């Protein structure tokens, strides 16, 4: 029998090992060899069930979150009522499409737009038409003078003379307002206004000459003769200014396509 201690193969009938005197297995009734020791891990320590623990942790976390939210709301209460109660407002600088496309705004914008400066031809066209008006007034005056000389249609002749005076005043105002910056400027304007003004003075003296003929007699009296002489003097003065004017006018008007004028065409 093999010794379990030293490994010696002993006699089957021996009870102890012949080498180490170790009690052999099976030598005593009811004896069993002790199994060699084993490195067994200690049994795991079991804790409480997992599901109830997780439920408890979730509930505790929920309570904590609610508590923090309540504290934050309480801290914000003094500053939040104005924001919550009032509706949201647009920024002060926001511009809507309706404001930009408002017709009233468009009218206002157009009203402040600076008009373009007339071209030289446009400026000359204004003066050219004004000269045509002056020529027509002069012809109307001459027809009225002729009727008074012939002592016929005196009332109509006197009315035409007075109307010519009103026309002259309008022509002077138009010349003062006209833009002539590109066609002679101040010199052209001043000579034209002087010519119109002298013609107006002559018109007024012709009225003074014609009035006695309408109310009394067509005879030449001293007062009528004096008015006639004054009218002729103002007419000669007007001719002087007209000569100066046409010298300036023809230099700028003819190259622009307007007809050349003389003193009788004003």
């Amino acid at each position: 029998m093999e010794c379990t201690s030293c490994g010696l193969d002993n006699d089957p009938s021996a009870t102890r090992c012949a080498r180490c005197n170790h009690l052999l297995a099976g030598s005593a009734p009811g004896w069993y060899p002790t199994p060699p020791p084993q490195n067994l891990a200690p049994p795991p320590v079991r804790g409480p069930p997992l599901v109830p623990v997780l439920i408890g942790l979730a509930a505790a976390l929920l309570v904590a979150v609610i508590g923090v939210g309540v504290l934050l709301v309480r801290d914000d209460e003094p500053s939040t009522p104005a924001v919550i109660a009032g509706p949201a407002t647009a920024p002060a600088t926001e511009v809507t499409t309706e404001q930009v496309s408002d017709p009233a705004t468009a009218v206002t914008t157009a009203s402040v737009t600076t008009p373009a400066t007339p071209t030289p031809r446009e400026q000359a066209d204004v003066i050219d038409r004004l000269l045509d008006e002056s020529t027509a007034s002069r012809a109307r005056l001459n027809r009225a003078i002729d009727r008074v000389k012939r002592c016929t249609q005196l009332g109509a002749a006197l009315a035409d003379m007075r109307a010519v005076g009103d026309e002259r005043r309008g022509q002077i105002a138009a010349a003062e307002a006209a833009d002539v910056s590109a066609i002679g400027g101040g010199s052209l304007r001043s000579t034209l206004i002087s010519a119109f003004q002298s013609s107006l003075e002559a018109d007024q003296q012709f009225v003074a000459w014609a009035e006695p003929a309408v109310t009394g007699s067509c005879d030449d009296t001293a007062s009528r003769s004096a008015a006639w002489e004054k009218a002729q003097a103002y007419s000669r003065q007007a001719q002087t200014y007209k000569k100066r004017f046409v010298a300036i006018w023809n230099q700028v008007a003819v190259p622009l396509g307007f007809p050349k004028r003389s003193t009788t065409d004003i």
Side-chain angles (χ1 to χ4, degrees):
M1 179 178 295
E2 184 178 359
C3 177
T4 58
S5 176
C6 65
L8 179 65
D9 188 17
N10 292 283
D11 184 56
S13 61
T15 58
R16 290 186 177 275
C17 177
R19 181 184 297 171
C20 63
N21 200 31
H22 183 74
L23 185 64
L24 297 176
S27 60
W31 178 90
Y32 295 93
T34 302
Q38 300 180 2
N39 295 327
L40 300 177
V45 179
R46 296 183 178 274
L50 181 59
V51 173
V53 172
L54 293 177
I55 294 175
L57 290 175
L61 180 60
L62 180 61
V63 171
V65 170
I66 293 174
V68 171
V70 171
L71 291 176
L72 292 176
V73 171
R74 288 180 179 177
D75 290 340
D76 292 340
E77 284 178 357
S79 59
T80 54
V83 177
I84 296 174
T89 57
T93 57
E94 182 178 359
V95 179
T96 62
T97 303
E98 290 76 14
Q99 291 173 334
V100 174
S101 60
D102 187 2
T105 304
V107 172
T108 301
T109 303
S111 66
V112 298
T113 302
T114 303
T117 302
T119 64
R121 179 169 179 79
E122 290 172 339
Q123 294 181 12
D125 184 64
V126 172
I127 300 300
D128 189 68
R129 284 186 283 179
L130 187 58
L131 297 178
D132 287 340
E133 294 178 9
S134 176
T135 302
S137 297
R138 184 170 180 268
R140 186 176 184 181
L141 176 66
N142 288 335
R143 289 193 298 268
I145 292 173
D146 182 66
R147 283 183 301 214
V148 174
K149 284 182 177 181
R150 293 186 290 109
C151 200
T152 182
Q153 300 178 346
L154 297 177
L158 181 60
D160 283 347
M161 288 182 180
R162 289 171 175 167
V164 168
D166 293 335
E167 293 171 359
R168 290 296 186 195
R169 294 182 184 91
Q171 292 159 11
I172 292 172
E176 291 174 344
D179 184 356
V180 292
S181 57
I183 56 170
S187 58
L188 182 140
R189 185 202 309 277
S190 62
T191 53
L192 180 60
I193 292 176
S194 296
F196 285 163
Q197 186 66 47
S198 297
S199 295
L200 176 60
E201 297 288 348
D203 297 339
Q204 292 173 340
Q205 293 301 321
F206 282 124
V207 169
W209 167 74
E211 284 177 337
V214 175
T215 59
S217 172
C218 291
D219 295 340
D220 288 332
T221 62
S223 60
R224 290 192 68 202
S225 296
W228 177 264
E229 292 300 329
K230 289 181 181 178
Q232 293 300 319
Y234 282 120
S235 294
R236 288 191 295 270
Q237 182 174 295
Q239 285 293 316
T240 300
Y241 288 120
K242 288 179 182 180
K243 288 179 181 179
R244 297 176 185 175
F245 170 78
V246 296
I248 302 172
W249 169 254
N250 289 331
Q251 289 181 357
V252 296
V254 173
L256 293 174
F258 295 94
K260 184 177 181 180
R261 290 183 182 267
S262 65
T263 57
T264 59
D265 298 324
I266 299 176

